[in-house]
């Protein structure tokens, strides 16, 4: 009788862990595996919950049948929405009405603080699951370069480590292992976004534009808004109004500065594409993997061990990204403060928001480890001070005009020395030189506004 690969006699302590891993992989891919569901849940970073484990098994089996070459990000969306929905509490009609009224008042107050036009789409009130689904396209865009790199590296390492007979047995081993590795990564991302959905209060809460800029421009998560207010000795009506103003200000800025959303997301994805995966930990994992401790697989993917220290180029790119995030959130802070002067506790709420953004939540830290990217602006207070100084010196109209083009938006130097920026803004237009005059004459001639001279 042929040896059964699941025979307990083969689990002796003297066996080679690498051989055990290959046996487990062979069994799983051939459909004969009898793996402990709790181990699978641990490897995917999930609690040992029957419903979640059942979903995990189904998704991994789908990965084996998946014929596409890329990562099936639909799994991340399903995972995030499912986790977010598990902790959901429906808002009462009174709570929904109160938030809708807060958004209406917030729009009126913002009109007094900035000339940037109001939104063209009504703000949405989202459930936690709704927020996860609405924002997942951006999360996958940010994670895709790293996920692809990890899946490719995992495929290469396992193909090199696997015995020849295993490769011939399962056929296209590279594609299968790429799909399984991609599935595990997608589910980790879904886990992170599902946790984020329990923490964020709005569409712009993490600084980057997560919502569709046309169909859905701003959103609040009522359950999380109320959760944010708990523990603060501040009337919930004030908290709702402040957070509504802040979300609308963030959304208005990105709608007004049409270049900003693409510019910011391009900076992030360019940085992510520069990340290279360290195959050393993967090689160790493939050689020494213990099926009785699948936590090692999850820990390798989520701890940041696979992402080596940043290069000088990456540090420079990260610095530019952090500056832009600080400029965005600093502007939002200043405009929100001006628009909420009627709220007695607005300064206390603002300080809570700043401390919360500076520290970040557990899910945000998990995303940073998974993708190798932090989204916290380190110079937020300095950027806000710069925008406030500009507002005091030249007014809201000139302040907001600085968002017209990426070439004129302030930078690191301006954050460090607002006085020099203000001096430039108050110096007036310089007299045109000969080149400027000649260029203007040429443009006038082409537009027909000035007749040609004989």
């Amino acid at each position: 009788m042929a040896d059964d690969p699941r025979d307990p006699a083969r689990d002796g302590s003297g066996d080679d862990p690498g051989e055990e891993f290959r046996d487990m992989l062979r069994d799983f891919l051939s459909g004969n595996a009898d793996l402990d569901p709790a181990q699978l849940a641990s490897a995917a970073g999930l609690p040992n919950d029957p419903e979640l484990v059942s979903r995990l098994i189904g998704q991994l089996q789908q990965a084996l049948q998946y014929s596409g070459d890329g990562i099936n990000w639909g799994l991340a969306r399903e995972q995030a929405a499912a986790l977010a929905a598990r902790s959901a509490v429906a808002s009462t009609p009174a709570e929904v009405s109160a938030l809708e009224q807060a958004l209406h008042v917030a729009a009126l107050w913002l009109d007094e603080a900035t000339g940037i036009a109001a939104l063209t789409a009504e703000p949405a009130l989202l459930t936690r699951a709704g927020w996860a689904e609405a924002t997942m396209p951006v999360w996958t865009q940010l994670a895709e370069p790293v996920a692809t790199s990890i899946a490719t590296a995992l495929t290469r390492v396992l193909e090199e480590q696997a015995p020849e007979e295993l490769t011939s047995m399962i056929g296209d081993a590279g594609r299968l292992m790429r799909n399984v590795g991609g599935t595990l990564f997608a589910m980790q991302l879904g886990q992170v976004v599902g946790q984020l959905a329990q923490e964020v209060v709005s569409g712009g809460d993490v600084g980057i534009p997560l919502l569709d800029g046309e169909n859905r421009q701003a959103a609040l998560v009522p359950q999380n808004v109320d959760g944010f207010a708990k523990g603060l000795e501040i009337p919930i009506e004030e908290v709702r109004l402040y957070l509504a103003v802040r979300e609308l200000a963030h959304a208005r800025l990105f709608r007004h500065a049409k270049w900003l959303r693409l510019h910011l997301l391009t900076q992030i994805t360019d940085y992510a594409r520069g990340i290279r995966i360290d195959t050393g930990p993967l090689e160790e994992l493939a050689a020494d993997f213990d099926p009785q401790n699948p936590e090692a697989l999850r820990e390798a993917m989520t701890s940041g061990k696979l992402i080596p220290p940043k290069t000088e180029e990456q540090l420079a790119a990260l610095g530019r990204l952090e500056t832009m995030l600080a400029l965005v959130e600093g502007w939002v802070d200043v405009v929100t403060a001006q628009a909420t002067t009627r709220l007695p506790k607005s300064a206390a709420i603002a300080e809570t928001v700043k401390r919360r953004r500076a520290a970040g939540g557990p899910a945000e830290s998990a995303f940073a480890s998974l993708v190798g990217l932090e989204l916290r602006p380190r110079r937020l207070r300095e950027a806000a001070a710069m925008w406030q100084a500009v507002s005091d010196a030249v007014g809201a109209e000139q302040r907001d005009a600085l968002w017209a083009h990426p070439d004129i938006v302030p930078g690191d130097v301006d954050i460090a020395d607002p006085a020099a920026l203000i001096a430039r803004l108050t110096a007036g237009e310089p007299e045109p030189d000969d080149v400027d005059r000649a260029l203007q004459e040429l443009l006038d001639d082409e537009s027909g506004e000035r007749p040609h001279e004989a």
Side-chain angles (χ1 to χ4, degrees):
M1 178 176 179
D3 289 339
D4 185 346
R6 290 170 290 168
D7 191 332
R10 298 185 59 172
D11 295 330
S13 58
D15 287 349
D16 175 19
E19 181 63 29
E20 290 186 69
F21 171 65
R22 288 188 287 271
D23 289 341
M24 183 182 72
L25 180 61
R26 180 187 293 108
D27 286 346
F28 182 78
L29 293 175
S30 63
N32 297 323
D34 186 19
L35 302 178
D36 184 354
Q39 292 182 352
L40 281 176
S42 177
L46 302 177
N48 186 15
D49 179 275
E51 179 184 344
L52 293 180
V53 172
S54 175
R55 184 179 296 112
L56 167 63
I57 294 174
Q59 288 171 340
L60 285 174
Q61 292 293 346
Q62 287 178 30
L64 296 177
Q65 304 299 324
Y66 183 55
S67 60
D69 188 38
I71 294 173
N72 185 359
W73 291 113
L75 300 180
R77 183 179 65 253
E78 294 171 11
Q79 176 78 356
L83 288 176
R86 289 168 65 86
S87 59
V89 175
S91 299
T92 66
E95 291 169 340
V96 171
S97 177
L99 271 175
E100 290 175 342
Q101 181 64 21
L103 286 164
H104 176 71
V105 174
L108 297 176
W109 287 3
L110 270 177
D111 289 340
E112 300 174 358
T114 177
I116 292 179
L119 303 179
T120 56
E122 286 294 321
L125 299 180
L126 299 177
T127 63
R128 288 176 170 179
W131 182 92
E133 291 180 340
T135 61
M136 184 56 77
V138 174
W139 293 118
T140 55
Q141 180 182 345
L142 303 186
E144 191 274 338
V146 176
T148 301
S149 296
I150 288 180
T152 299
L154 180 63
T155 301
R156 185 173 65 252
V157 168
L158 288 176
E159 284 182 327
E160 292 172 353
Q161 298 271 343
E164 184 176 348
E165 66 272 15
L166 177 60
T167 302
S168 61
M169 181 189 73
I170 65 175
D172 188 3
R175 180 182 61 80
L176 291 176
M177 287 312 305
R178 183 181 181 85
N179 289 345
V180 170
T183 295
L184 287 174
F185 190 97
M187 295 187 71
Q188 289 292 341
L189 180 64
Q191 177 86 354
V192 168
V193 175
Q195 291 173 341
L196 273 170
Q198 301 171 41
E199 301 173 7
V200 298
V201 299
S202 64
D205 199 14
V206 296
I208 59 176
L210 292 171
L211 300 174
D212 183 344
E214 294 297 329
N215 301 321
R216 181 178 286 151
Q217 300 165 354
L220 292 176
V221 184
Q223 181 179 352
N224 295 351
V225 169
D226 291 354
F228 177 92
K230 288 180 181 178
L232 302 178
E233 296 181 357
I234 300 172
I236 192 170
E237 295 79 12
E238 289 196 41
V239 174
R240 287 170 175 163
L241 259 171
Y242 184 93
L243 294 179
V245 169
R246 181 175 175 82
E247 171 65 1
L248 293 185
H250 189 272
R252 282 194 188 192
L253 175 60
F254 278 93
R255 180 179 176 272
H256 168 75
K258 299 187 184 302
W259 57 271
L260 182 56
R261 186 175 194 270
L262 179 60
H263 179 80
L264 194 56
L265 293 180
T266 299
Q267 282 188 321
I268 295 173
T269 52
D270 284 349
Y271 167 83
R273 287 192 182 97
I275 295 176
R276 296 294 176 264
I277 303 304
D278 185 356
T279 59
L282 284 177
E283 292 171 355
E284 294 176 5
L285 181 64
D288 303 324
F289 187 78
D290 180 1
Q292 301 304 315
N293 182 28
E295 176 71 14
L297 177 59
R298 184 189 71 84
E299 198 271 341
M301 296 180 68
T302 60
S303 65
K305 287 182 178 179
L306 302 182
I307 301 175
K310 299 176 180 66
T311 64
E312 290 297 324
E313 292 78 8
Q314 286 180 307
L315 289 172
L318 187 59
R320 292 190 295 271
L321 173 61
E322 289 175 346
T323 296
M324 187 58 69
L325 286 172
L327 287 168
V328 168
E329 296 204 43
W331 182 91
V332 170
D333 281 353
V334 168
V335 172
T336 300
Q338 185 177 346
T340 57
T341 54
R342 297 179 180 89
L343 296 179
K345 298 291 187 179
S346 63
I349 303 172
E351 186 59 30
T352 301
V353 170
K354 288 178 183 177
R355 288 200 305 266
R356 183 170 172 266
R357 282 293 291 126
E364 192 175 334
S365 298
F367 177 79
S369 297
L370 186 66
V371 180
L373 175 67
E374 292 186 0
L375 298 174
R376 295 195 294 274
R378 303 183 189 280
R379 303 185 67 186
L380 173 57
R381 292 182 185 272
E382 293 92 333
M386 181 209 70
W387 286 119
Q388 185 60 60
V390 171
S391 300
D392 295 340
V394 300
E397 184 176 355
Q398 265 192 276
R399 174 200 67 202
D400 298 343
L402 292 172
W403 289 107
H405 192 275
D407 289 346
I408 64 173
V409 75
D412 274 325
V413 174
D414 301 311
I415 293 176
D417 184 14
L421 172 62
I422 292 169
R424 295 198 304 273
L425 294 174
T426 56
E429 289 293 331
E431 287 296 322
D433 58 19
D434 292 340
V435 175
D436 292 330
R437 281 191 289 269
L439 179 60
Q440 187 59 53
E441 290 176 2
L442 178 62
L443 293 173
D444 289 343
D445 286 346
E446 291 178 349
S447 65
E449 294 182 3
R450 177 180 299 177
H452 290 284
E453 295 180 0

